Amino acid sequence: MKLLHTSDWHLGAKLGRHDRTPDHVEALRGLLDLAERVRPDLILHTGDLFDQSRPPYEALELGVQALNRLAAVAPTLVLSGNHDSPVLLRVIDSLAGAASPRRLRLVTEPRVVPYPDVAQEPVAVACVPFVQPSAVADYSGGDAPRFEGDYADGIRTLNDSLLEEAHRSVRPHGVVLYAAHLHVHGAQPGRSERRITVGDDYATPVEGLHRAHYCAFGHIHDPQLLPGGTAQGRYAGSLIALDFGERRQAKQAVVASIGDGVQVETHELPGGRPLVEFRGTPAELEARARDGGLDGCILKARVVSDDPLPDLADRLADWAPDCAVFELINTVENRPVKAVEGGGEEGAEPGLEELFEEWRTGAARGAKAPQGAVADLFRQALGSAGQDARPDFGLTALGLQAEETLGALARRRSGGPG
């Protein structure tokens, strides 16, 4: 059988203010051309179909159209990734279920999906969509409340169970595939992938996956072989370079041919607009832009000059009218440094009373009481700091006056001298 493996489309993604839809469209066109050329028996998408759980309508439409096009070529299975909404994918799956014969499935929970007739032998896919740490005990087998292992232990148990079920369903000579949206120990995240979901706490074992003929992985955006060499499989990587940390990564899809052995080929895809980083002088930037050198790219530039260039953006627009600017920074070498003028004694810091007065007359809101009276109370509070006695704030005098008044009233009521 022949398998096409793609992953991590992240439809709806933006880079700064720049919508990446044109780049996604170009890459998807290349992927669809590849699918129609190689004519796979099955297509696997291993997660992060969308960039966020509530994608824009345009991204939703583009994703559904692309999946329908792929499903017209071969049965297509999509896993839920950590960026996807399982609820949304279940809705799309319900709609796809209305078609007969069914060609598109979206999987949001770990399970085995059988394909009895896509190839000469039956095929079963052990599916592990992204599993939140809070849910791993639910899929670890046994009594979930009593589960005491870590994330890797739960995934290892889950993998063993799913692969055993997949093998039972295709005996004696079928094909077992494994598809997951996970980070395995030893896989190398790209520079841009700093989220905890590709950290050590989420790393899972590769042991035991050799029982699958091919392991299709998503989640890490840099395309690569599975580490360790014990399991046959790959991370397909993201569809386009999503940020400047991925700008040097070759974006690709994977074609696996499974017969007496397994042959794996990677096919590069068009990645849309290139992401270009630049650091240099205005003259060097102008030379780089000459003859359309920066047209059709997304640019991150730091321009170094002796003096400020207030018209730098206008100059760049003239030099490269078709360049999309992500970031443009002017670093000035001869910027004058203003000396800090100290007030009073060198190195002395303002006192608390001075800082309080500055705050109350400047930053404080709704201050209505007279400044002098408030300052006196503040000084009393400072004077009592660290002492056992609390500040009086004039309360003793007020208490004495109140006692005298109450005494006079009591004597008047009793007929005594008041």
Side-chain angles (χ1 to χ4, degrees):
M1 69 161 297
K2 188 177 292 185
L3 169 73
L4 175 61
H5 174 203
T6 182
S7 191
D8 292 86
W9 291 1
H10 286 269
L11 300 179
K14 288 188 175 183
L15 185 56
R17 60 187 177 86
H18 299 291
D19 185 3
R20 305 303 304 280
T21 299
D23 309 309
H24 277 121
V25 168
E26 183 177 348
L28 287 172
R29 186 178 295 117
L31 178 64
L32 290 166
D33 289 344
L34 174 65
E36 291 174 353
R37 187 169 69 253
V38 302
R39 307 302 299 183
D41 300 298
L42 182 65
I43 299 172
L44 294 182
H45 184 303
T46 48
D48 282 350
L49 177 64
F50 299 109
D51 191 59
Q52 51 191 307
S53 59
R54 298 178 64 181
Y57 290 136
E58 294 80 4
L60 182 59
E61 181 181 27
L62 178 60
V64 170
Q65 289 177 347
L67 292 178
N68 282 334
R69 289 276 305 276
L70 287 176
V73 176
T76 300
L77 185 150
V78 182
L79 300 186
S80 175
N82 58 300
H83 282 254
D84 295 315
S85 164
V87 175
L88 175 60
L89 265 57
R90 284 197 292 269
V91 170
I92 300 174
D93 183 65
S94 296
L95 295 173
S100 182
R102 179 163 186 162
R103 306 275 289 183
L104 176 63
R105 295 181 183 275
L106 294 91
V107 179
T108 60
E109 294 185 353
R111 63 188 178 98
V112 172
V113 178
Y115 287 95
D117 54 5
V118 296
Q120 294 180 352
E121 298 86 16
V123 176
V125 186
C127 300
V128 183
F130 181 74
V131 178
Q132 295 287 351
S134 58
V136 71
D138 297 332
Y139 301 112
S140 60
D143 188 357
R146 297 179 180 273
F147 175 71
E148 297 180 353
D150 60 13
Y151 189 81
D153 293 331
I155 296 298
R156 181 188 294 107
T157 302
L158 173 63
N159 288 344
D160 290 343
S161 173
L162 291 175
L163 287 170
E164 179 62 31
E165 180 183 346
H167 273 281
R168 286 198 306 267
S169 69
V170 299
R171 284 175 181 165
H173 302 301
V175 174
V176 171
L177 304 174
Y178 177 86
H181 193 86
L182 293 171
H183 174 204
V184 299
H185 284 293
Q188 298 299 315
R191 287 174 50 201
S192 64
E193 295 169 295
R194 296 182 293 272
R195 300 178 180 86
I196 191 173
T197 51
V198 290
D200 290 339
D201 291 342
Y202 283 75
T204 59
V206 73
E207 289 79 15
L209 299 184
H210 65 279
R211 300 177 64 192
H213 290 84
Y214 177 82
C215 299
F217 269 84
H219 194 32
I220 288 180
H221 293 176
D222 195 354
Q224 58 195 276
L225 286 167
L226 288 183
T230 59
Q232 178 73 267
R234 292 189 66 92
Y235 281 95
S238 53
L239 186 66
I240 65 172
L242 292 165
D243 57 32
F244 283 87
E246 299 182 23
R247 66 189 181 91
R248 290 193 175 94
Q249 296 174 6
K251 299 307 178 181
Q252 57 189 222
V254 182
V255 176
S257 300
I258 302 169
D260 295 334
V262 180
Q263 294 183 343
V264 178
E265 300 174 349
T266 59
H267 297 258
E268 288 198 15
L269 301 174
R273 292 168 291 181
L275 308 184
V276 175
E277 281 190 309
F278 170 88
R279 181 182 175 90
T281 66
E284 291 170 336
L285 181 61
E286 183 180 11
R288 181 74 177 272
R290 191 174 296 128
D291 299 325
L294 292 177
D295 288 347
C297 77
I298 301 178
L299 177 67
K300 180 180 182 181
R302 186 177 292 271
V303 181
V304 182
S305 62
D306 292 334
D307 300 301
L309 301 173
D311 62 341
L312 178 59
D314 294 332
R315 293 194 201 182
L316 179 58
D318 291 337
W319 298 335
D322 294 327
C323 172
V325 179
F326 167 72
E327 183 177 271
L328 181 62
I329 298 176
N330 180 202
T331 300
V332 180
E333 298 287 350
N334 294 335
R335 187 182 298 276
V337 178
K338 183 179 180 180
V340 177
E341 297 180 0
E345 184 179 345
E346 182 178 358
E349 296 184 357
L352 289 175
E353 293 182 33
E354 184 180 348
L355 291 172
F356 177 74
E357 181 178 356
E358 180 182 346
W359 168 78
R360 196 168 186 277
T361 57
R365 297 182 180 179
K368 297 180 180 179
Q371 174 62 23
V374 174
D376 288 340
L377 292 174
F378 185 71
R379 276 192 292 273
Q380 289 184 45
L382 286 179
S384 66
Q387 303 178 10
D388 292 336
R390 297 182 179 179
D392 184 77
F393 298 130
L395 294 178
T396 301
L398 288 174
L400 291 173
Q401 290 179 9
E403 289 179 3
E404 291 178 2
T405 302
L406 290 173
L409 288 173
R411 288 193 297 272
R412 184 172 299 174
R413 286 182 179 177
S414 62

